[in-house]
């Protein structure tokens, strides 16, 4: 039984990310499970070793530990490409030559979404003839690879929000620059690492039907999912730098201790009383995923008003 936290090292973790990390750690440790950390560093532009180091340092500052070495997706392209090759052999992949603008224009021009949820890929390149594909290759535009889906509906049960169901479209497996896409990499990694317990923000809830479908196609067991509400500012927007000091480093500079941050996280999860001083280890015996709050979380005053 294995849990994990898989941030993208494109910056320091803000309070919402740290809160998710705490829930992921508690979910694993409360059941005596292994807890892994994986760096989803597929973004070649923004991912940086210094961001990775800062994220690990901040997790440790909150009392979070992990088992084994930290895995980096940038070092696992051969594994992702092997999975894509399996899907190609099964006839489940096609080349897509569309730019983002072309996809957006095709979606806007359509009278209704052809398949899948709103905003789904309209299938422009799905059934191109051999000559049409050759002409597009000759133009010099490298293709992305998309999964040829059945446009079906896939179900799963979330440990917090309950039964869920969603459609899938023909999503990208590998971008036209050769970089594997998140939706593929996360499924392959969870399968190869034996992850049985996925905790992440509920902004990823709509992506989960895609993951369930891909798991079935690759023969990977679907893990247990727990999507928790994000942290918002009082303006109703997702927590961002515009709300003030949002990272552990910024908060320390503003005079807010790691202990105070941990105590707020505990109370925001309804695992500690407001103002109660707790360490993350104190929350292990209190943790019950079914009892976590389901409503959005508003950031504390020390984030929204760091000057105070």
């Amino acid at each position: 039984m294995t849990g994990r936290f898989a941030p993208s090292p494109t910056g320091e973790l803000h309070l919402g990310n740290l809160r998710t990390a705490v829930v992921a750690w508690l979910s694993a440790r409360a059941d005596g499970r292994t807890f892994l950390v994986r760096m989803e560093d597929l973004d070649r532009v923004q991912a940086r070793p210094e961001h990775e180091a800062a994220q690990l340092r901040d997790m440790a500052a909150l009392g979070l530990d992990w088992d084994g070495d930290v895995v980096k997706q940038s070092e696992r392209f051969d594994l992702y490409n092997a999975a894509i090759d399996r899907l190609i052999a099964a006839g489940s992949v096609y080349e897509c030559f569309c730019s983002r603008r072309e996809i957006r224009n095709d979606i806007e021009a359509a009278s209704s979404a052809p398949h899948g949820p709103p905003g789904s890929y309209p299938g422009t390149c799905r059934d191109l003839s051999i000559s049409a594909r050759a002409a597009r290759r000759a133009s010099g535009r490298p293709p992305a690879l998309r999964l040829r889906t059945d446009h079906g509906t896939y179900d799963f049960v979330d440990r917090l929000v309950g039964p869920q169901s969603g459609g899938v479209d023909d999503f990208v497996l590998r971008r036209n620059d050769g970089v594997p896409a998140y939706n593929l990499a996360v499924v392959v990694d969870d399968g190869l690492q034996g992850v049985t317990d996925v905790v992440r923000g509920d902004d990823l809830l709509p992506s989960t039907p895609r993951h369930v479908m891909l798991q079935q196609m690759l023969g990977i067991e679907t893990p247990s999912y727990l999507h928790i509400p994000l942290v918002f500012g009082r303006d109703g927007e997702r927590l961002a730098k515009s709300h003030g000091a949002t990272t552990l480093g910024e908060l320390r500079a503003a005079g807010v201790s790691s202990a105070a941050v941990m105590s707020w996280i505990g109370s925001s999860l309804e695992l500690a009383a407001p103002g109660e001083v707790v360490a993350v280890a104190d929350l292990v015996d209190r943790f019950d995923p079914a009892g976590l709050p389901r409503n959005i979380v508003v950031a504390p005053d020390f984030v929204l008003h760091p000057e105070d």
Side-chain angles (χ1 to χ4, degrees), residues 142-213:
L145 296 182
R146 288 187 180 272
L147 184 67
R148 186 182 297 274
T149 70
D150 59 3
H151 303 298
T153 298
Y154 288 81
D155 304 327
F156 64 99
V157 178
D158 185 275
R159 289 195 290 159
L160 181 60
V161 298
Q164 300 291 303
S165 181
V168 295
D169 63 345
D170 291 0
F171 57 92
V172 171
L173 299 172
R174 187 165 65 211
R175 302 184 334 217
N176 65 2
D177 61 359
V179 176
Y182 162 77
N183 286 312
L184 173 85
V186 69
V187 168
V188 172
D189 282 334
D190 284 344
L192 292 176
Q193 292 188 280
V195 171
T196 58
D197 180 17
V198 172
V199 176
R200 56 193 184 190
D202 62 8
D203 57 324
L204 291 172
L205 195 61
S207 298
T208 308
R210 290 176 168 182
H211 301 169
V212 172
M213 177 185 183

Side-chain angles (χ1 to χ4, degrees), residues 1-3 31-35 194 196:
M1 304 292 285
T2 302
D31 289 336
R33 297 177 180 178
T34 300
F35 181 68
T196 58

Side-chain angles (χ1 to χ4, degrees), residues 100-287:
R100 291 184 180 181
R101 176 178 295 181
E102 289 168 340
I103 293 172
R104 184 168 60 249
N105 290 342
D106 286 349
I107 291 173
E108 292 174 353
S111 59
S112 62
H115 303 289
S120 296
Y121 176 67
T124 307
C125 293
R126 181 180 173 98
D127 296 313
L128 289 178
S129 65
I130 294 176
S131 60
R133 287 199 302 272
R136 283 164 172 76
R137 288 195 206 99
S139 71
R141 178 186 293 176
L145 296 182
R146 288 187 180 272
L147 184 67
R148 186 182 297 274
T149 70
D150 59 3
H151 303 298
T153 298
Y154 288 81
D155 304 327
F156 64 99
V157 178
D158 185 275
R159 289 195 290 159
L160 181 60
V161 298
Q164 300 291 303
S165 181
V168 295
D169 63 345
D170 291 0
F171 57 92
V172 171
L173 299 172
R174 187 165 65 211
R175 302 184 334 217
N176 65 2
D177 61 359
V179 176
Y182 162 77
N183 286 312
L184 173 85
V186 69
V187 168
V188 172
D189 282 334
D190 284 344
L192 292 176
Q193 292 188 280
V195 171
T196 58
D197 180 17
V198 172
V199 176
R200 56 193 184 190
D202 62 8
D203 57 324
L204 291 172
L205 195 61
S207 298
T208 308
R210 290 176 168 182
H211 301 169
V212 172
M213 177 185 183
L214 197 50
Q215 287 155 359
Q216 293 178 5
M217 296 180 74
L218 292 173
I220 296 171
E221 186 174 351
T222 297
S224 168
Y225 285 105
L226 175 61
H227 292 85
I228 66 170
L230 303 180
V231 177
F232 285 73
R234 288 180 182 170
D235 57 2
E237 299 295 326
R238 288 171 56 170
L239 192 64
K241 287 185 177 296
S242 60
H243 293 114
T246 62
T247 69
L248 207 57
E250 291 169 339
L251 290 168
R252 280 195 295 263
V256 180
S257 68
S258 298
V261 172
M262 186 63 246
S263 293
W264 176 81
I265 291 175
S267 64
S268 77
L269 296 171
E270 298 181 4
L271 299 175
E276 181 183 358
V277 177
V278 292
V280 69
D282 299 329
L283 305 180
V284 172
D285 291 338
R286 308 181 190 184
F287 183 76

Side-chain angles (χ1 to χ4, degrees), residues 38-42 71-88 145 173-174 178-190 192-193 218:
R38 180 172 71 232
M39 287 292 161
E40 299 190 336
D41 57 346
L42 295 177
V71 166
K72 300 180 182 182
Q73 288 188 330
S74 60
E75 299 174 350
R76 297 165 67 84
F77 277 30
D78 58 331
L79 301 175
Y80 310 139
N81 289 330
I84 292 173
D85 288 343
R86 287 178 56 193
L87 295 169
I88 291 174
L145 296 182
L173 299 172
R174 187 165 65 211
V179 176
Y182 162 77
N183 286 312
L184 173 85
V186 69
V187 168
V188 172
D189 282 334
D190 284 344
L192 292 176
Q193 292 188 280
L218 292 173

